[in-house]
Amino acid sequence: MAIANSELILNEDGSIYHLNLKPEHLAQTVITVGDPDRVEQVTQYFDHIECKIKKREFHTQTGTYKGQRITVISTGIGTDNIDIVFNELDALVNIDLTSREVKKEHTSLQVIRIGTSGAIQGDIPIDSFVISEMAIGFDSLLHFYDSRDIQLHDVSNALLKHLNWDKNKSIPYTVASDQKLVTHMQSETTRKGVTVTNVGFYGPQGRVLRLPLQDKNLNEKMASFEYTNKKITNLEMETAAIYGIAKLLGHQAVSMNAIIANRATGEFSQNPKKVVDRLIQYTLDKIVTYH
């Protein structure tokens, strides 16, 4: 059955609505970054760039690195943008945009997030790399989808109890990464962790400028949480949605975090751009050896 025009929205040139991309613009390996300016920070290492497309905060470049075709796309900040980006990326490979019907043969993308993050454990060094083995979403995005089968409910329920979670907030959800990708991306340079995805940068992450917090001890309580010998390691704003939507759509996803702040010690990286650049080079070299 054809998908209605109001649901699958295309631009006049046949490209997907928000990203402005056509299927031929997309590689099977996709790097997502939050900041549009970070796209070129990645593609500066490419052998060749075949296309550059911009619309709103969604900047895309596709090219090759050491002979492998890769797409780099900026998502902007937040899980609401992840909902847009991942549904539209999936549509480009798994929906025939002419007939507006789902293809019989499914295509799985490999999606690697390269982003910045803040640690909440005092022993995680500034300028280190954390791979999100699991992500906990404090937003409500995944609850809008039929997602119960992919959620790790035991982890979420234990965390709710530990945090004495306020009933007015969205119920957290927990999703595992793609374990094959995590195993491939890790090395002695990285550590695996549990990432919390927040709905904001200030209050939701325990920062106080002028507004008081509903729970001023939230970060400390998260840091003390432990489940099957795993602790929450870091905070950011996209990973849980990436893992959830990717898993629902049948794609592989992993989140690579450059730790530029430590909330427990109050430290901040002296050169965050350099740290991200090291993570970019590390990730690109890992991607080309993934099979």
Side-chain angles (χ1 to χ4, degrees):
M1 181 181 295
I3 301 171
N5 292 345
S6 60
E7 313 306 294
L8 174 62
I9 306 171
L10 303 178
N11 298 309
E12 289 183 3
D13 65 353
S15 61
I16 200 78
Y17 184 56
H18 293 93
L19 305 186
N20 216 36
L21 300 178
K22 296 180 180 180
E24 59 265 29
H25 297 141
L26 184 64
Q28 197 163 349
T29 300
V30 180
I31 293 174
T32 69
V33 295
D35 183 356
D37 291 338
R38 196 172 292 153
V39 172
E40 290 193 349
Q41 194 179 352
V42 177
T43 60
Q44 66 176 319
Y45 296 107
F46 279 20
D47 316 313
H48 167 73
I49 298 173
E50 66 184 65
C51 67
K52 298 182 179 181
I53 298 167
K54 296 181 179 180
K55 186 178 181 183
R56 307 186 189 190
E57 63 266 55
F58 309 116
H59 294 190
T60 305
Q61 294 186 18
T62 295
T64 56
Y65 176 77
K66 295 184 177 180
Q68 179 161 339
R69 191 166 184 253
I70 301 172
T71 293
V72 186
I73 185 169
S74 61
T75 62
I77 297 175
T79 58
D80 51 344
N81 280 8
I82 296 302
D83 183 57
I84 291 170
V85 172
F86 274 67
N87 274 288
E88 294 196 1
L89 289 177
D90 178 77
L92 289 170
V93 295
N94 287 313
I95 297 175
D96 184 319
L97 300 187
T98 302
S99 67
R100 311 180 70 86
E101 294 184 344
V102 176
K103 295 179 180 178
K104 293 181 180 179
E105 186 174 337
H106 178 268
T107 296
S108 179
L109 300 171
Q110 292 81 49
V111 185
I112 300 94
R113 172 190 177 268
I114 299 177
T116 56
S117 185
I120 63 169
Q121 302 291 345
D123 64 345
I124 299 178
I126 292 291
D127 301 342
S128 63
F129 302 154
V130 171
I131 304 178
S132 305
E133 187 176 24
M134 186 187 304
I136 302 169
F138 282 4
D139 63 303
S140 60
L141 176 62
L142 217 59
H143 297 311
F144 285 89
Y145 294 97
D146 183 7
S147 62
R148 287 192 59 82
D149 289 347
I150 67 161
Q151 293 184 41
L152 304 176
H153 298 283
D154 289 347
V155 180
S156 301
N157 291 335
L159 181 62
L160 281 169
K161 184 177 180 181
H162 180 82
L163 298 179
N164 190 24
W165 194 248
D166 186 275
K167 62 180 179 61
N168 293 308
K169 296 177 181 176
S170 299
I171 301 298
Y173 59 88
T174 306
V175 189
S177 64
D178 183 89
Q179 291 303 307
K180 184 180 177 182
L181 263 180
V182 168
T183 299
H184 178 76
M185 300 303 288
Q186 70 184 49
S187 71
E188 69 282 350
T189 307
T190 65
R191 68 186 292 167
K192 292 188 290 186
V194 177
T195 299
V196 162
T197 295
N198 300 84
V199 293
F201 184 78
Y202 288 96
Q205 294 191 37
R207 289 183 173 92
V208 177
L209 299 184
R210 291 204 316 116
L211 294 175
L213 303 177
Q214 180 272 327
D215 184 353
K216 63 182 180 180
N217 299 314
L218 180 59
N219 283 6
E220 289 77 11
K221 289 193 289 187
M222 283 193 290
S224 66
F225 176 71
E226 187 170 345
Y227 189 85
T228 60
N229 298 318
K230 298 182 188 300
K231 292 184 176 182
I232 295 172
T233 51
N234 60 301
L235 312 176
E236 51 73 77
M237 295 179 64
E238 290 90 32
T239 297
I242 289 173
Y243 284 5
I245 300 298
K247 200 172 287 287
L248 288 173
L249 290 169
H251 304 298
Q252 297 176 292
V254 67
S255 179
M256 309 291 291
N257 301 275
I259 301 300
I260 63 170
N262 189 301
R263 303 298 303 285
T265 64
E267 298 173 277
F268 192 83
S269 175
Q270 294 186 359
N271 196 336
K273 186 174 181 179
K274 183 178 179 180
V275 180
V276 172
D277 195 63
R278 284 198 298 111
L279 181 58
I280 287 168
Q281 293 181 67
Y282 174 89
T283 302
L284 285 171
D285 285 333
K286 280 289 189 179
I287 285 173
V288 295
T289 60
Y290 181 70
H291 302 290

